[in-house]
C-alpha cells in the first residue's frame, strides 16, 4: 500500500514509520511538507499523493500554549482531521486518527469507556474532541484511537524530559494526584497495524476505540520509575518529591484521572494490551540498545 503518515517527528508517527515501513511504501509528512493548519491546501495535496491509507498522527500537542494559540490548535486538531476523513471517505480508503484522554474532565474514578460523555477542561482537550467528532461524522472506513501519556525512548516527551532533569537538577517536584496510563508509542503502532489489517477485510471495526497500556500510575510514579533506572546506572542526581496539581498550576487544566477502559479494542486485537510497566521495561531496553550501538 501507499501509506501517508502525518506528524513526521512525533512519537506516534515515528513508531508508525517503523511499524509499516518495511512492508509498505510510505509518504511521511511534516509541517514543512504540509501545514495542516492551512486546511485549504489539504485536498490538492492528497489528490496528488493518492494514498491507499492515511494515518493522521499529527497534532497540536502544546497543551498549555494552546490556551493562547486557540486558532492554530483548532485548525490542526479539529478541522484538518475532519477534512482528511472526508477525503478518505471519498476515495473509500481507511483513515486512522489519534485522540486524547484529555477529552475527559477526570471526575470519574474508574476507567472511562467509549460511551462516557466527554467534558474537556482545556483548549487542547476541546480541539481533540472536535477532531474526533468530525472524523466520525465524516463516515467511511475511519478509526479514532484515544490514547494517553504517549512516550518513547527518542523524541520530545515526559520520559526523556525526566531522564534529563533527574540527571541534572538537585531536586525535582512532580505531581502525584494526576492518574493515567503511560503508553509506549510502539504498542500504539502495532495495534494500529492489526486494526488496519482487520479493517481492510471486515466492516465491523471502524469507529472509536480506547488504546492505552494497561494499569495506571501518577506522573510522580512514572518519574520514580525513571529515577530508579537512572540510579541503577549511577546517573541519578535529583531528589524526587511528590507535589499536587494545586501547588503546580499550569495555564491549561488537566484531568486528575484519565484512565481509559480498553476492553472494546482488546476484543478485536489478537492479544491483550501490555501493562505499562512491562512496556516501560521494553522502552528502557531499546534505549540501552541504542546507547550500545552509538
Amino acid at each position: 500500500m501507499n501509506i501517508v503518515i502525518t506528524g513526521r517527528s512525533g512519537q506516534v508517527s515515528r513508531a508508525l514509520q517503523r511499524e509499516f515501513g518495511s512492508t509498505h511504501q510510505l509518504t511521511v509528512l511534516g509541517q514543512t511538507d504540509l501545514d495542516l493548519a492551512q486546511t485549504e491546501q489539504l485536498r490538492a495535496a492528497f489528490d496528488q499523493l493518492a494514498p491507499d491509507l492515511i494515518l493522521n498522527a499529527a497534532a497540536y500537542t502544546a497543551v498549555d500554549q494552546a490556551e493562547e494559540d486557540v486558532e492554530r490548535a483548532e485548525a490542526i486538531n479539529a478541522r484538518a482531521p475532519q477534512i482528511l476523513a472526508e477525503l478518505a471517505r471519498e476515495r473509500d480508503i481507511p483513515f486512522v486518527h489519534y485522540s486524547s484522554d484529555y477529552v475527559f474532565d477526570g471526575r470519574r474514578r474508574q476507567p472511562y469507556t467509549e460511551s462516557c460523555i466527554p467534558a474537556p477542561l482545556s483548549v487542547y482537550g476541546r480541539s481533540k474532541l472536535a477532531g474526533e467528532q468530525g472524523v466520525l461524522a465524516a463516515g467511511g472506513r475511519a478509526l479514532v484511537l484515544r490514547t494517553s501519556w504517549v512516550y518513547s525512548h527518542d523524541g520530545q516527551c515526559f520520559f526523556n524530559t525526566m531522564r534529563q532533569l533527574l540527571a541534572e537538577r538537585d531536586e525535582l517536584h512532580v505531581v502525584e494526584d494526576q492518574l493515567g496510563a503511560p503508553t509506549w508509542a510502539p504498542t500504539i503502532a502495532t495495534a494500529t497495524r492489526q486494526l488496519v489489517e482487520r479493517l481492510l477485510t471486515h466492516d465491523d471495526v471502524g469507529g472509536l476505540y480506547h488504546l492505552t497500556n494497561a494499569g495506571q500510575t501518577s506522573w510522580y510514579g512514572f518519574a520514580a520509575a525513571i529515577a530508579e533506572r537512572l540510579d541503577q546506572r549511577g546517573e541519578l542526581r535529583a531528589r524526587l518529591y511528590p507535589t499536587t496539581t494545586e501547588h503546580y498550576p499550569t495555564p491549561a487544566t488537566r484531568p486528575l484521572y484519565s484512565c481509559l477502559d480498553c476492553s472494546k479494542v482488546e476484543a478485536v486485537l489478537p492479544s491483550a494490551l501490555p501493562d505499562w510497566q512491562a512496556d516501560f521495561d521494553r522502552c528502557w531496553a531499546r534505549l540501552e540498545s541504542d546507547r550500545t550501538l552509538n
Side-chain angles (χ1 to χ4, degrees), residues 209-226:
Y209 292 89
H210 290 171
L211 176 59
T212 72
N213 275 125
Q216 70 177 47
T217 189
S218 65
W219 289 116
Y220 173 79
F222 193 11
I226 298 167

Side-chain angles (χ1 to χ4, degrees), residues 140-284:
R141 292 188 286 166
L143 282 169
V144 174
L145 305 178
R146 283 184 187 146
T147 189
S148 70
W149 297 22
V150 179
Y151 73 98
S152 65
H153 76 288
D154 57 354
Q156 184 177 359
C157 60
F158 180 87
F159 177 82
N160 291 314
T161 298
M162 284 298 107
R163 286 200 301 116
Q164 179 179 350
L165 295 179
L166 287 165
E168 294 177 352
R169 294 190 179 180
D170 293 325
E171 63 180 50
L172 200 62
H173 298 258
V174 180
V175 292
E176 190 180 32
D177 58 348
Q178 293 177 26
L179 299 178
T183 303
W184 193 36
T187 289
I188 297 172
T190 299
T192 297
R193 177 182 53 77
Q194 293 167 340
L195 289 168
V196 167
E197 289 171 351
R198 184 172 174 88
L199 186 62
L200 291 169
T201 57
H202 296 72
D203 295 327
D204 61 344
V205 184
L208 173 66
Y209 292 89
H210 290 171
L211 176 59
T212 72
N213 275 125
Q216 70 177 47
T217 189
S218 65
W219 289 116
Y220 173 79
F222 193 11
I226 298 167
E228 181 179 359
R229 293 304 181 95
L230 290 175
D231 191 31
Q232 292 170 358
R233 292 181 56 88
E235 297 175 357
L236 179 65
R237 175 178 176 180
R239 295 195 65 178
L240 185 64
Y241 297 97
T243 189
T244 64
T245 300
E246 181 181 2
H247 289 95
Y248 189 78
T250 55
T253 303
R254 287 147 168 88
L256 294 181
Y257 182 91
S258 62
C259 296
L260 304 180
D261 184 321
C262 297
S263 56
K264 179 182 175 183
V265 79
E266 288 186 322
V268 179
L269 295 173
S271 59
L273 292 161
D275 184 84
W276 80 266
Q277 291 170 306
D279 267 355
F280 176 83
D281 291 342
R282 295 185 182 97
C283 179
W284 200 271

